[in-house]
Amino acid sequence: MEHIKVLLSDEAKAFLRQQSFKAQRKIAYNIRKLESGIIDKELFEKLAGSNIWEIRTLFDGSYYRLFSFWDTENETLVIATHGIVKKTKKTPTKEIKRAEDIRKEYFNDKNK
């Protein structure tokens, strides 16, 4: 498996800093698993009808989600756009749209 590198946007980094230390450790652990090539549905899942994926962490009864997308042009990158904490499994549509908008902007800027 090709090496995967996860890049966090400033907003994703700020989201992580807002979480408890234990939650940060669990999320970082899951990111390292992904970078080592472990791609399972519990950890990393594509959201239906979009180009957005969730880096998923369940910790202490809360669902931590980092919205992300792939950039495989020069190397295998997963770019995390932003995150949310939710108490239910349903992902808010507005958050998916926001991640899609950030993805479009990323590729527009990159291809200029």
Side-chain angles (χ1 to χ4, degrees), residues 66-78:
L66 283 172
F67 295 91
S68 56
F69 59 89
W70 291 90
D71 177 357
T72 56
E73 200 170 285
N74 297 318
E75 57 185 319
T76 305
L77 300 176
V78 172

Side-chain angles (χ1 to χ4, degrees), residues 23-62:
Q24 287 180 37
R25 281 186 40 201
K26 179 76 185 262
I27 294 165
Y29 172 78
N30 283 345
I31 289 171
R32 283 192 303 276
K33 279 176 64 175
L34 177 60
E35 288 181 325
S36 73
I38 297 170
I39 299 178
D40 71 44
K41 200 173 171 177
E42 293 299 308
L43 172 67
F44 192 57
E45 183 174 34
K46 187 173 193 295
L47 297 173
S50 76
N51 291 308
I52 301 304
W53 292 67
E54 282 182 331
I55 300 172
R56 311 168 83 181
T57 302
L58 175 60
F59 178 73
D60 205 20
S62 292

Side-chain angles (χ1 to χ4, degrees), residues 79-103:
I79 291 94
T81 61
H82 69 289
I84 62 169
V85 181
K86 55 188 190 169
K87 294 291 183 187
T88 65
K89 288 194 174 199
K90 180 114 177 78
T91 300
T93 308
K94 70 176 185 159
E95 299 298 345
I96 299 168
K97 177 170 181 356
R98 185 166 168 222
E100 285 277 13
D101 291 345
I102 293 168
R103 179 183 176 275

